[in-house]
Amino acid sequence: MQDQISVFQDRVQVVAGFRFDGSTPLFDHKISPRIAAVFNPNNRIVLRGGWSTAFRAPNFSELYQNSWFINVASGETVLPLAVFGPNPDLGPEEIRTFELGAEYRFSENL
């Protein structure tokens, strides 16, 4: 879910939202919020900022299945260069990000 509001005669736009990942037999539900703002003090300058979180649960093969990532084939022989073993104790990945940015428009074409 996401929404955007504009204030100060459209000089500031704020976007806020969240993602909901439902629970599974292995992991609880998770809510990942985000918020971002864009400020245009004049026609040449744009300032941006944002904060967000993200979540990713491990997939079936990461939890339970051996897998080959890279292999070399020579005739009838196939040799794995990387074999990944399962990890049933693997937990979800979570990140938090913070972004700042600025833009200056020198002219209409540059």
Side-chain angles (χ1 to χ4, degrees):
M1 179 178 287
Q2 179 174 298
D3 198 8
Q4 176 178 327
I5 61 169
S6 296
V7 292
F8 303 114
Q9 299 172 343
D10 290 336
R11 292 275 183 206
V12 177
Q13 292 86 35
V14 178
V15 177
F18 69 90
R19 175 183 165 141
F20 177 79
D21 289 286
S23 61
T24 69
L26 299 174
F27 303 106
D28 292 333
H29 73 276
K30 187 71 177 172
I31 296 174
S32 302
R34 75 180 289 264
I35 189 164
V38 178
F39 175 49
N40 298 84
N42 58 47
N43 291 335
R44 293 186 177 261
I45 298 173
V46 179
L47 304 173
R48 297 180 182 88
W51 171 84
S52 64
T53 64
F55 165 86
R56 186 183 84 81
N59 61 38
F60 177 82
S61 65
E62 291 168 332
L63 291 170
Y64 304 114
Q65 183 178 14
N66 283 321
S67 57
W68 292 13
F69 181 62
I70 301 172
N71 60 56
V72 175
S74 176
E76 299 284 324
T77 306
V78 177
L79 298 171
L81 295 179
V83 176
F84 295 98
N87 183 354
D89 297 323
L90 193 61
E93 298 175 4
E94 295 185 49
I95 62 168
R96 289 171 184 79
T97 61
F98 183 73
E99 300 176 51
L100 289 175
E103 175 183 326
Y104 181 77
R105 297 180 188 133
F106 292 100
S107 71
E108 289 291 322
N109 299 322
L110 179 63

